[in-house]
């Protein structure tokens, strides 16, 4: 008996296998067309997904650094604004106190004294400025205020000043209280921490330290001298009358000497701000480069995927059409 | 008398063609039955006292293609073995995760590192402290889940082995019974093709479980033995033995027979796949499942245990936390205790968060800033401890203690390398499975083309049978008419 034809079971198994493969590939092409990503990156990369993971991590780390940069920018801008305000207060006070001491009468001096007290309040507020949960000038004790209220500063200073025999000695005594460990400043006026606030990590291996504390020597001197001016120019302050004039003169000189130091603080902060701005630029460049690398590995060309989907669709239609036609080509269909 | 002889011959023709029609119709009915082989009736002239006496169907033969069938069964066994491995490797790789998976092990490491980085930048934030605790807890949860899944896979393999051994034993019994029955049928020249079909189907099932060699004997029986030469079934059977453990824990192993886990024997002969014995079977679903139980799952367990030890060890570094005594447990513990590097088997299921920072254990997340042993809150913006923990996690340390890894790597790099190992293993197995599937399909199709039913051929045969039947019926009518004529003469 001559052999001819093809067992239907074998034919069925063969076409099922082909159609199944076409359908699976169609589903993959569909997903890749829509998402632009490999449906199974492990299969697309033949299991070599380690590099893809690490690029993904680098992108995530870059995002962390960008957030840290944003926080640092906000904090430094606020600190710079505070220091600018302090510098303006100093400048105004220097002008007004100079005029009052040189040309003014008692009434003018009393007015300037009130101005000095207001300036002390403004400087205290500036140094107690917060950003989020952090006191910006409080060091590592960010939940504390940095500086005590003006009343506390003035009360403590008055005690230290009145104990001296003359203005020069009084100024020296108060300076010691503001300078040395355990003195008035460290025990009653400065409320922050002895450690520094954390530096900002702006890139792998790069930390930018922008922290400044209210117990910086420049700021100690400013607070000291403005406190003295507040007391010396106020006849009702309780300060010994014999020392007023001399103390005011010495405080004015001290305040004038503080200006370059405050400018230096602002410059140092400015340098940190510039480094942070530079870090942001590098961060954005890194983001772009990493995104390209990631897409090269993980991405699939959506247009190519769409073309493949179309081709598979045609193949499936052909498979179905030929199956239907061939299924009629059997002897049973032609026997009566 | 010659007219009566003609009548008898025609009747034998009707009978024989009826039988052939029966065979043909059975072939057509089973055209799509998997494993069905075409039956062919052998017509033979009958001889009585040296003279022709019509026709009979001497035998109904089942078609065989021994070479193709043997090769296809080998492919079945290899595929079944790879399927068992592939399923386990895919399940494990899926749980480890890929770059698209937000819940992958790597993503957990990445999130934890990111949370420490954020906390080091803003240590005063209670939300970030809690976030770091939750991220650490997520890693712990992931390790626990990986350990649970590994245990489940191993337990499942143990159960499936037991099930397949049961199936094998019952199939062998049935094959032996069919052998005996076919032997009787053949000796009585009866049609045993349906019994042979059933037997071949059972042999196919056995071959996918355990590779076998078969030999058809002249009496119709089939001798079946392992490729290593152990007889499984003739008219009697061998017995496979396996004792399944109700629970399989990470410390249990086969260890060449000296461990707690059972091996596989056939009538007392050790044939455990991968067991190293001289008659250890290779191939088939059983070999795949033993590989899962004794190599794949334990290897994965060792990897995740070593990774857990690496992670915990980074946070137990001397001097990292000045608020705790040297040797104290760090951020990650072994059920509350410091890690014992000499006892890390199963650590991935035991690893836990230090209770000092775990809100679920009345811990305080603020200790992520102040130190695990801090009795009171420290300076709110002190980032020394979070920064130290971040440095510990990102420090490049030797990864050689983790099976399959080497070099100096940070915590996240270890997670990435491990994920790549598992992905590669899964892809390799999937590729092997696809290739074996394709080979098996090709062989099955070739076998089907050789011994399967072609309906066109059967219908053509039926046409001829119909014609022959009609011819024999005409002979009967003619002989009867002739006999009637004779009667009318009388």
């Amino acid at each position: 008996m001559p052999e001819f034809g093809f067992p239907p079971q074998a034919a069925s198994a063969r076409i099922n296998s082909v159609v199944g493969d076409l359908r699976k590939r169609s589903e993959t092409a569909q997903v890749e067309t829509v998402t632009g990503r490999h449906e199974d990156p492990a299969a697309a990369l033949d299991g070599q997904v380690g590099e893809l993971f690490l690029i993904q991590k680098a992108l995530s780390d870059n995002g962390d650094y960008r957030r840290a940069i944003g926080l640092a920018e906000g904090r430094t801008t606020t600190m710079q604004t505070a220091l600018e305000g302090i510098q303006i207060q100093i400048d105004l006070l220097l002008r007004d106190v100079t005029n009052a001491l040189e040309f003014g009468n008692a009434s003018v001096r009393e007015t300037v004294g009130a101005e000095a007290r207001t300036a002390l309040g403004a400087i205290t507020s500036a140094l107690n400025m917060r950003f989020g949960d952090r006191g910006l000038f409080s060091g590592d004790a960010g939940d504390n205020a940095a500086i005590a209220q003006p009343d506390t500063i003035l009360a403590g200073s008055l005690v230290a000043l009145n104990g001296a025999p003359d203005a020069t000695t009084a100024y020296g005594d108060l300076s010691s209280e503001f300078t040395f460990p355990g003195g008035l400043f460290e025990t009653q006026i400065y409320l922050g921490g002895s450690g520094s606030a954390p530096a900002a990590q702006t890139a792998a291996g790069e930390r930018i330290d922008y922290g400044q504390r209210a117990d910086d020597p420049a700021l100690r001197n400013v607070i000291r001298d403005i406190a003295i001016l507040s007391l010396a120019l106020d006849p009702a302050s309780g300060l010994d009358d014999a020392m007023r004039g001399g103390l005011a003169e010495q405080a004015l000189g001290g305040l004038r000497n503080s200006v370059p130091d405050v400018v230096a603080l602002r410059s140092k902060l400015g340098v940190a701000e510039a480094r942070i701005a530079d870090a942001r630029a590098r961060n954005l460049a890194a983001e772009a480069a990493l995104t390209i690398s990631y897409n090269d590995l993980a991405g699939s060309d959506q247009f190519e995927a769409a073309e493949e989907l179309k081709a598979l669709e045609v193949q499936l239609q052909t498979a179905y059409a030929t199956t239907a036609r061939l299924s009629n080509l059997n002897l049973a269909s032609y026997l009566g | 008398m010659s007219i009566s002889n003609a009548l008898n011959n025609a009747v034998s023709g009707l009978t024989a063609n009826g039988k052939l029609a029966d065979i043909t119709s059975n072939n057509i009915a089973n055209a799509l039955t998997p494993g069905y082989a075409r039956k062919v009736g052998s017509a033979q002239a009958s001889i009585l006292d040296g003279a022709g006496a019509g026709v009979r169907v001497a035998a109904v033969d089942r078609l065989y293609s021994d070479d193709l069938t043997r090769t296809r069964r080998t492919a079945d066994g290899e595929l079944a073995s790879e399927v068992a491995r592939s399923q386990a490797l895919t399940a494990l790789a899926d749980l480890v995760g890929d770059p698209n998976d937000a819940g992958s092990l790597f993503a957990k490491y990445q999130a934890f590192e990111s949370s420490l980085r954020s906390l080091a930048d803003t240590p005063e934030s209670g939300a970030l402290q809690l976030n770091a605790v939750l991220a650490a807890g997520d890693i712990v949860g992931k390790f626990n889940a990986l350990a649970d899944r590994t245990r489940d896979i191993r337990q499942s393999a143990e159960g499936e082995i037991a099930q397949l051994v049961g199936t094998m034993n019952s199939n062998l019994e049935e094959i032996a019974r069919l052998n005996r029955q076919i032997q009787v049928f053949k000796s009585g020249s009866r049609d045993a093709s349906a019994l042979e079909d059933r037997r071949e189907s059972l042999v196919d099932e056995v071959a996918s479980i355990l590779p076998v060699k078969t030999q058809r004997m002249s009496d119709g029986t089939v001798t079946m033995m392992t490729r290593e030469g152990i007889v499984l079934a003739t008219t009697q059977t061998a017995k496979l033995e396996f004792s399944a453990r109700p629970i399989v824990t990470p410390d249990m192993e086969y260890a060449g027979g000296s461990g707690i886990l059972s091996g596989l024997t056939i009538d007392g002969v050790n044939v455990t796949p991968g067991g190293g014995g001289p008659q250890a079977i290779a191939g088939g679903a059983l070999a795949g499942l033993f590989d899962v139980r004794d190599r794949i799952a334990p290897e994965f367990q060792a990897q995740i245990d070593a990774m857990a030890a690496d992670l915990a060890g980074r946070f137990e570094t001397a001097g990292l936390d000045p608020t705790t005594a040297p040797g104290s447990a760090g951020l990650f513990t072994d059920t509350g205790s410091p890690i014992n590097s000499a006892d890390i088997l199963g650590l991935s299921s035991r690893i836990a968060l230090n209770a000092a920072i775990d809100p679920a254990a009345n811990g305080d997340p603020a200790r992520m800033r102040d130190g695990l042993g801090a009795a009171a809150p420290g300076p709110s913006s002190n980032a020394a401890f979070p920064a130290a923990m971040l440095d510990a996690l990102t420090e490049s340390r030797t990864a050689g203690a983790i099976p399959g890894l080497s070099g100096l790597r940070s915590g996240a790099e270890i997670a990435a390398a491990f994920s790549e190992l598992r992905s590669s293993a899964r892809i390799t197995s999937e590729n092997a499975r696809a290739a074996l599937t394709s080979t098996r399909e090709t062989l099955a199709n070739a076998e089907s083309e050789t011994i399967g039913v072609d309906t066109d051929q059967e219908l053509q045969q039926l046409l001829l049978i119909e014609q022959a039947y009609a011819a024999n019926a005409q002979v009967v009518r003619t002989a009867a008419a002739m006999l009637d004529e004779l009667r009318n003469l009388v």
Side-chain angles (χ1 to χ4, degrees), chain B residues 29 67 70 75 107 126 137 156 168 199 208 286 329 347 369 448 466 471:
Chain B
D67 287 342
R70 181 178 59 247
S156 178
M168 276 288 297
R199 184 183 61 193
S208 71
L286 276 176
L347 178 61
R369 176 196 63 201
S448 181
E466 188 184 356

Side-chain angles (χ1 to χ4, degrees), chain B residues 96-109:
Chain B
V96 171
D98 67 24
N100 285 347
D101 184 1
S104 69
L105 178 66
F106 177 83
K108 302 296 183 190
Y109 266 80

